[in-house]
Amino acid sequence: MAETGFQWVPNDESARLQALQRYGILDTPMEPAYDDLARIAAHICQAPVALISLLDSHRQWFKASVGLAVEETPLDQSVCRYAVRQPGVFIVPDLAQDARFAHFHIVTQENPLRFYAGAPLVTPDGFALGTLCVLDHQPRALSPQSEDMLGALARQVIRLLELKRANDLQGQMLADLEEARHQMSVLAHTDVLTGLANRRSFTERLRQELALLQRDCEPACLLMMDIDHFKQVNDLYGHHVGDRALQLFAALCREVFRAGDVVSRWGGEEFLAMLPATRVEQAQAVAQRVHAALAERALPGVEPPRVMTVSMGLSNFDPLLPLDQTLRALDDALYTAKRDGRNRTVVV
């Protein structure tokens, strides 16, 4: 049967559906606050059925349902889609006598519904998301007082939806703030270019490790590494190649060192690694793997191909020595490695 008196406006409908999606209410669990409003509507209007109905693109979905054991119905079976197209409460005294609705399933079923009254759920910006509606099995009228109360309850539904939206936005803001704090923490402890620990965070970790060594007396080593002739790389090829060289070395360190080791960019082209539970001879083997890995990798973006080398100072991390003294000794060993020809490791 052809419908009359109803015409969808595609642009308006698209905006209405976008407004509905902003509330994030579709397919959410039943909630007592909405159920209570539906029960109050049923009581005030003395109706056996009351629904909070939200109109999606192809269905009407019920956030609350009293007296009707379904969660949704097809949109082409919805009386509510007529109700949202006009202000005020939409009343149909007898659905069976209205050509628009007489063929609907709720009217032709074994225990038919005959009466309908629906108050549109209108958002503050003017979009009707659905209705708070009541239905009865008998044709009837609705008193002016009940009609007013149905409209008032519909406004309470919108207030609940607005509260949900505000809570959702606040929750998202808090999540975004927490993520921003996390990112700030990461940035505060990470070298932006290489992704390794920066000097500040590595120094804190050294102090923590020193306390553990003083307590547990386990061996540990420190390895200071400096890329050879790095200034020459920048001068010959540009700082962008120098940056890629630093990133290449950082990636190589992630491959060579163990997960429990901590590698930092100590400054410029200088890197410092801490190797817990490691003796000097074991750390020397790690240093040799770094030398070997560098020898196999050409500097990116450079023709003819050029490999990097690194000079290193290696020392035992002695918990009985002040940290500053250990670092000075390590720096002296690195200087010796560079003075003696570079591309080598000197042990303190």
Side-chain angles (χ1 to χ4, degrees):
M1 180 181 296
E3 298 177 352
T4 59
F6 186 88
Q7 189 172 26
W8 291 104
V9 183
N11 291 337
D12 288 352
E13 178 61 7
S14 176
R16 189 192 69 79
L17 289 172
Q18 289 179 11
L20 176 60
Q21 292 299 323
R22 285 199 296 269
Y23 287 89
I25 191 68
L26 291 174
D27 298 312
T28 55
M30 296 292 184
E31 298 177 61
Y34 296 92
D35 294 339
D36 288 346
L37 289 176
R39 283 196 294 266
I40 293 171
H43 176 74
I44 289 173
C45 298
Q46 297 182 330
V49 176
L51 307 167
I52 294 177
S53 172
L54 298 165
L55 303 183
D56 200 359
S57 60
H58 61 287
R59 58 174 177 159
Q60 62 176 1
W61 177 79
F62 305 130
K63 177 61 179 174
S65 176
V66 174
L68 193 66
V70 293
E71 294 182 354
E72 62 182 56
T73 60
L75 195 60
D76 61 6
Q77 293 288 308
S78 170
V79 183
C80 296
R81 64 177 180 148
Y82 288 81
V84 299
R85 291 298 178 167
Q86 66 171 51
V89 178
F90 180 70
I91 299 175
V92 184
D94 189 350
L95 294 167
Q97 298 302 314
D98 193 311
R100 296 171 295 179
F101 313 119
H103 63 289
F104 280 15
H105 177 69
I106 60 172
V107 181
T108 61
Q109 65 186 5
E110 184 175 346
N111 187 23
L113 292 165
R114 300 287 294 275
F115 169 77
Y116 173 93
L121 305 175
V122 183
T123 66
D125 50 353
F127 293 104
L129 307 182
T131 70
L132 171 61
C133 64
V134 294
L135 298 99
D136 204 336
H137 297 288
Q138 304 297 326
R140 49 172 285 197
L142 192 66
S143 70
Q145 295 83 0
S146 296
E147 185 176 336
D148 288 344
M149 290 303 298
L150 191 62
L153 289 172
R155 291 190 290 274
Q156 292 304 312
V157 174
I158 287 295
R159 289 189 177 95
L160 282 178
L161 290 174
E162 285 291 313
L163 180 61
K164 176 189 182 303
R165 186 183 179 194
N167 287 339
D168 289 347
L169 290 173
Q170 184 181 47
Q172 185 59 52
M173 288 174 62
L174 290 174
D176 291 345
L177 179 60
E178 185 60 30
E179 177 62 22
R181 286 174 177 168
H182 173 71
Q183 292 297 330
M184 289 175 65
S185 176
V186 170
L187 290 173
H189 293 83
T190 304
D191 175 64
V192 176
L193 180 63
T194 64
L196 298 176
N198 61 21
R199 184 168 186 150
R200 174 186 173 186
S201 66
F202 190 78
T203 302
E204 293 175 2
R205 182 64 185 272
L206 283 177
R207 293 195 176 100
Q208 295 169 3
E209 186 66 20
L210 186 59
L212 292 175
L213 292 174
Q214 291 168 345
R215 185 192 68 185
D216 300 334
C217 299
E218 288 191 356
C221 287
L222 294 175
L223 190 61
M224 187 172 283
M225 303 170 283
D226 188 277
I227 298 175
D228 295 327
H229 305 296
F230 185 74
K231 182 178 183 300
Q232 186 181 93
V233 171
N234 280 328
D235 291 344
L236 289 176
Y237 309 112
H239 286 277
H240 65 288
V241 174
D243 287 347
R244 288 203 293 267
L246 294 172
Q247 292 169 334
L248 173 66
F249 186 72
L252 181 145
C253 287
R254 292 189 186 93
E255 296 174 10
V256 171
F257 288 92
R258 302 167 302 182
D261 299 332
V262 183
V263 184
S264 74
R265 185 182 178 191
W266 193 242
E269 66 272 24
E270 195 169 81
F271 296 78
L272 186 57
M274 178 177 63
L275 291 72
T278 305
R279 300 187 183 278
V280 170
E281 58 272 20
Q282 295 171 311
Q284 285 179 297
V286 174
Q288 186 55 43
R289 288 201 296 272
V290 172
H291 286 301
L294 274 176
E296 296 177 353
R297 302 194 187 186
L299 192 62
V302 171
E303 290 294 340
R306 172 175 176 163
V307 297
M308 292 187 295
T309 62
V310 64
S311 299
M312 305 190 207
L314 170 62
S315 76
N316 180 51
F317 194 3
D318 189 344
L320 301 180
L321 294 177
L323 181 57
D324 290 347
Q325 183 176 333
T326 299
L327 291 175
R328 282 197 301 270
L330 196 61
D331 193 62
D332 289 342
L334 174 62
Y335 177 78
T336 300
K338 297 180 83 66
R339 184 194 62 197
D340 291 350
R342 306 177 187 269
N343 192 26
R344 64 192 63 214
T345 301
V346 171
V347 181
V348 178

